[in-house]
Amino acid sequence: MQTKEDYILMRSARRSLVLTVNAEGRVVVRAPQRTPVADIERFILSHTAWIARRRAELARVRPDLTDGGTLCVFGIPRTIVQGSRARLAGDTLLLPSSAREEALVALLKKLSRERMGALLHEYAARYGFSYSSLRITSARGRWGSCSEKGNISFSFRTAFLSEEEARYLAVHELCHTRRMDHSPAFWKEVGAILPDFLRIRKGLRKKGAYMAFL
Ligand SMILES: [Zn+2]
């Protein structure tokens, strides 16, 4: 038996099969080391309806970039209207008539750089963190990262997120300049700055669909 589904297989020392649909709509299967491929593909086939439902959910949050459509920028819904160039104006998001997506991505890159840069600066000054550089990337799958050398990166998709979510991400990556792991000591450091971080992190986990578009 063979599934037509193109899937990503990740084997590990786990005991059971787990299936997810990633932000790009691809099936990801986590499997024990020795489970036969035939069993894995049977497992995928038995979840066909569930996979279709997950994909439909992902498609629903995909933005409608036509005039009158809505898109959250900085966590606030903005109505899309036509303008000579991409920019935010109150509750409206102006986009040019052609190459809208490219213009929007360029705007989101600029907005995320300004906001994340300001937040890094603010928290670094207040809590004595030091970092080397800020980079805005098109990475999917993660909102931000921090290298051993203290180079911090954020996805331009952070521009979709609310102020408190952006603050949490800035604090999270800055705390990595002191600790590269996600140990209890790391979370203690995050919690000392943002006592409410667990609630924010939980909300952020539901926003993975923003990784799927653009
Ligand atoms: Zn982390």
Side-chain angles (χ1 to χ4, degrees):
M1 184 164 47
Q2 231 202 338
T3 170
K4 272 186 274 168
E5 191 67 61
D6 169 40
Y7 62 93
I8 300 164
L9 178 58
M10 296 169 78
R11 290 192 185 268
S12 64
R14 53 179 306 119
R15 282 159 179 244
S16 58
L17 284 168
V18 169
L19 187 149
T20 51
V21 175
N22 73 13
E24 285 153 302
R26 287 184 76 190
V27 170
V28 179
V29 182
R30 291 182 171 79
Q33 298 289 6
R34 291 169 196 278
T35 306
V37 168
D39 288 2
I40 291 167
E41 303 208 333
R42 203 173 302 125
F43 183 72
I44 294 171
L45 273 176
S46 70
H47 285 81
T48 304
W50 182 86
I51 293 166
R53 271 205 308 280
R54 279 295 298 144
R55 287 201 175 123
E57 276 169 34
L58 285 172
R60 208 174 48 233
V61 297
R62 209 155 278 170
D64 169 13
L65 294 186
T66 57
D67 289 352
T70 305
L71 186 67
C72 272
V73 180
F74 293 167
I76 299 163
R78 322 274 176 168
T79 306
I80 294 167
V81 296
Q82 193 179 311
S84 56
R85 64 186 177 89
R87 66 186 178 93
L88 273 185
D91 289 345
T92 62
L93 168 62
L94 288 91
L95 292 176
S97 56
S98 65
R100 281 202 157 176
E101 220 173 280
E102 290 84 340
L104 175 61
V105 169
L107 175 67
L108 294 175
K109 282 182 176 166
K110 178 175 153 278
L111 293 175
S112 59
R113 172 173 294 281
E114 286 169 2
R115 179 167 68 161
M116 297 320 291
L119 289 176
L120 288 183
H121 188 79
E122 178 189 327
Y123 283 105
R126 208 154 119 201
Y127 295 94
F129 291 104
S130 66
Y131 60 97
S132 308
S133 66
L134 164 64
R135 217 159 55 91
I136 299 300
T137 72
S138 302
R140 292 182 197 275
R142 67 205 307 198
W143 295 110
S145 63
C146 179
S147 77
E148 298 270 0
K149 289 183 176 152
N151 299 306
I152 295 177
S153 302
F154 291 107
S155 167
F156 74 79
R157 294 173 182 83
T158 56
F160 292 125
L161 302 175
S162 69
E163 177 72 15
E164 66 171 16
E165 288 163 341
R167 283 183 180 276
Y168 161 71
L169 291 173
V171 169
H172 183 122
E173 299 312 335
L174 283 171
C175 286
H176 276 319
T177 62
R178 291 181 186 159
R179 294 185 163 273
M180 286 309 290
D181 54 22
H182 290 121
S183 61
F186 169 82
W187 292 117
K188 201 176 153 194
E189 195 132 3
V190 174
I193 298 171
L194 294 175
D196 204 14
F197 81 93
L198 279 177
R199 179 187 57 80
I200 302 168
R201 194 179 68 178
K202 205 170 151 198
L204 203 49
R205 282 185 180 150
K206 292 181 187 149
K207 299 210 167 166
Y210 278 120
M211 292 289 179
F213 50 78
L214 298 174

